[in-house]
Amino acid sequence: DGGITQSPKYLFRKEGQNVTLSCEQNLNHDAMYWYRQDPGQGLRLIYYSQIVNDFQKGDIAEGYSVSREKKESFPLTVTSAQKNPTAFYLCASSMGRAGTEAFFGQGTRLTVV
Amino acid sequence: AQSVTQLGSHVSVSEGALVLLRCNYSSSVPPYLFWYVQYPNQGLQLLLKYTSAATLVKGINGFEAEFKKSETSFHLTKPSAHMSDAAEYFCAVSGGFTGANNLFFGTGTRLTVIP
């Protein structure tokens, strides 16, 4: 079945460590996105990518990094520079054209311990 | 700039009652509007979308929404609530203005259905 796969579902990180969240899609979508979700704040855009080897910062990119080496993959690294990384992270993809919806993965819940 | 405002972070309705979740948008270009639903610890699922073809949009699970340009609104309704409708609902807007088709989300409305 086509879809978006995020792994792991739950992730624990010690303070000062970098962690990488995986996102893979087999929908042949050009665009991919990372959102952060905190209670009462909705979804905030971290990074997005329209094509391979290109990506742009979203509203809250500080402390995060991404890569887009393959069309299917858009991993997110949460670095030690992110001061409050505990959150629910959602990856999405779309065809990238105006009016097209985004399809979401099941999310990764990151907790700093 | 594009944004959406969802009025009411929590809405409670009785089973069988009308569901009304409010969304107002702000956009400098003709908007595309979406409603998504999220169940606990899961991703978002598209309920319906408006792309200017028709102002009344029907979605999955009996939901519909009406685009009202004069009121800059895109409220979500369902005639009769079911227990399975309990979830969080997000309104989103995009306009393709940047070419990236990024979605801008509201802060969400948590729907509780009372038996």
Side-chain angles (χ1 to χ4, degrees), chain A residues 39-68:
Chain A
Q41 297 193 46
L43 279 72
R44 294 181 290 169
L45 183 64
I46 304 172
Y47 270 97
Y48 62 95
S49 168
Q50 285 291 92
I51 57 173
V52 175
N53 293 321
D54 185 58
F55 48 83
Q56 305 295 326
K57 292 181 179 180
D59 299 322
I60 57 165
E62 184 175 352
Y64 300 97
S65 65
V66 293
S67 63
R68 186 86 185 276

Side-chain angles (χ1 to χ4, degrees), chain B residues 5-70:
Chain B
T5 301
Q6 292 184 241
L7 297 177
S9 58
H10 291 85
V11 170
S12 294
V13 299
S14 298
E15 190 175 15
L18 171 71
V19 175
L20 171 61
L21 304 182
R22 300 178 186 274
C23 174
N24 289 89
Y25 70 90
S26 173
S27 177
S28 57
V29 297
Y32 301 106
L33 294 157
F34 307 81
W35 275 101
Y36 283 85
V37 61
Q38 183 182 35
Y39 298 99
N41 293 312
Q42 293 190 25
L44 275 67
Q45 179 184 8
L46 181 71
L47 281 175
L48 49 81
K49 67 177 182 180
Y50 166 76
T51 58
S52 77
T55 56
L56 183 62
V57 182
K58 294 186 183 299
I60 63 171
N61 301 338
F63 285 94
E64 63 182 35
E66 186 172 9
F67 174 74
K68 293 187 176 180
K69 185 177 180 180
S70 61

Side-chain angles (χ1 to χ4, degrees), chain B residues 62-93:
Chain B
F63 285 94
E64 63 182 35
E66 186 172 9
F67 174 74
K68 293 187 176 180
K69 185 177 180 180
S70 61
E71 299 177 8
T72 61
S73 69
F74 190 57
H75 302 330
L76 182 71
T77 61
K78 182 174 181 178
S80 177
H82 191 273
M83 295 300 294
S84 61
D85 295 327
E88 189 151 24
Y89 293 80
F90 291 93
C91 182
V93 63

